Amino acid sequence: MSSSKTGTSLRIASVNVNGVRAAFRNGMGAWLDKREVDILALQEVRAETSHLEELLGDEWDILHDAATAKGRAGVALASRNKASIHRVALGADDFDSAGRWLEADYEVGGKVVTVVSTYVHSGEADTPKQVEKYKFLDAMVERLPRLMEHNPLSVIVGDLNVGHRTLDIKNWKGNVKRAGFLPDERAYFDRFLGAEGDPDYNAGAGFGFVDIGRRAAGEVEGPYTWWSARGQAFDNNTGWRIDYQLATPELAAKVTNYTVDRAASYAERWSDHAPVVVDYAI
């Protein structure tokens, strides 16, 4: 974090690493070394805490919530300054959210910022996997208003595995019956952010959260954050925008820059997702 007379600049980067050990083998370390990140949120870690400590090094304070099933999911938060408190419980007691929801409070410029690293299930239409996805989204419906009450400077970051609007998926017409763009999934985001066409969409509608990516990019296609391995999806930029930073209005008003760090070429990618990097002037 860098400080000035006008406050503190906080850079939060979020990325689904698709296995953190593989990501580092393929070049994630070089990206991280030059990006000057203050808080790093990871999804689909698929490793042990000891692996994260070894890969990131002593300069990072690491929080990690692994999935119940070894080698699956897993979310983490790594920061330059130690978190004051963290929480991992989400949903009913009988619901297994392990490896998918990690909240932490950080002191930044004399204020507390709450950051959540989350990895929503990918789902599969008309299968038990989709049922689990809806359970998780239901748990988010319960938690988001409480998070807003807990701290007006809060942000939920991660792979949410839903494209909210047609602008978020290049080939949306061909995916309306597929998990990730089902009408019922998108309706949850209407509750979080407001519905397309609502005059207060992304500006106080729904639960009041702000989609930082859409606000920054405007009414344009993308910018996409994930590309299928099939065909030449990456080369043709036939992608999905499913990685988000959803901020409370007070924190959203402090955004100074939003970037999707899309690799320059397919060969230079170290994950099938691109990092989403946002600067906040706290």
Side-chain angles (χ1 to χ4, degrees), residues 7-231:
T8 301
S9 178
L10 173 68
R11 176 166 292 172
I12 300 177
S14 175
V15 60
N16 178 322
V17 291
N18 195 20
V20 70
R21 287 169 291 181
F24 266 82
R25 284 196 302 270
N26 292 322
M28 180 180 171
W31 167 82
L32 188 59
D33 286 345
K34 66 183 181 182
R35 211 51 181 91
E36 298 182 343
V37 173
D38 298 306
I39 298 176
L40 175 67
L42 305 177
Q43 302 88 44
E44 211 171 350
V45 172
R46 292 194 276 135
E48 305 292 335
T49 302
S50 59
H51 296 135
L52 282 169
E53 293 171 343
E54 180 180 338
L55 292 167
L56 291 172
D58 295 339
E59 66 268 31
W60 292 92
D61 181 71
I62 298 168
L63 300 173
H64 176 221
D65 187 41
T68 302
K70 192 172 182 179
R72 301 287 299 277
V75 289
L77 286 165
S79 59
R80 301 298 187 177
N81 295 332
K82 192 175 181 66
S84 58
I85 190 171
H86 72 278
R87 301 166 292 278
V88 296
L90 181 74
D93 293 340
D94 61 351
F95 175 60
D96 184 7
S97 64
R100 294 188 180 274
W101 186 269
L102 173 60
E103 299 180 19
D105 290 352
Y106 298 94
E107 185 174 330
V108 181
K111 300 177 181 178
V112 174
V113 177
T114 300
V115 182
V116 182
S117 179
T118 189
Y119 175 44
V120 176
H121 304 64
S122 56
E124 185 178 341
D126 302 319
T127 72
K129 292 181 180 179
Q130 194 65 27
V131 174
E132 288 301 301
K133 185 173 188 175
Y134 286 136
K135 286 182 180 179
F136 192 90
L137 290 169
D138 285 336
M140 287 182 65
V141 167
E142 294 297 320
R143 180 58 187 157
L144 263 62
R146 295 177 185 175
L147 189 64
M148 186 89 74
E149 294 171 1
H150 164 74
N151 186 0
L153 296 177
S154 295
V155 61
I156 301 159
V157 309
D159 177 4
L160 302 187
N161 261 317
V162 177
H164 182 205
R165 298 175 56 194
T166 57
L167 293 174
D168 297 322
I169 300 181
K170 182 68 172 182
N171 181 25
W172 67 267
K173 290 181 180 178
N175 286 286
V176 291
K177 295 183 179 180
R178 287 188 58 194
F181 200 62
L182 296 171
D184 287 346
E185 294 175 331
R186 297 163 62 200
Y188 282 93
F189 282 67
D190 290 347
R191 297 182 71 178
F192 302 159
L193 307 164
E196 185 172 11
D198 186 324
D200 291 324
Y201 159 72
N202 220 25
F207 291 162
F209 280 84
V210 176
D211 178 353
I212 299 302
R214 181 53 59 211
R215 176 174 284 186
E219 296 294 294
V220 301
E221 293 184 348
Y224 306 123
T225 63
W226 174 81
W227 299 263
S228 170
R230 297 176 182 174

Side-chain angles (χ1 to χ4, degrees), residues 6-10 254-256 279-282:
T6 57
T8 301
S9 178
L10 173 68
K254 300 180 182 296
V255 171
T256 58
D279 293 337
Y280 300 88
I282 305 300

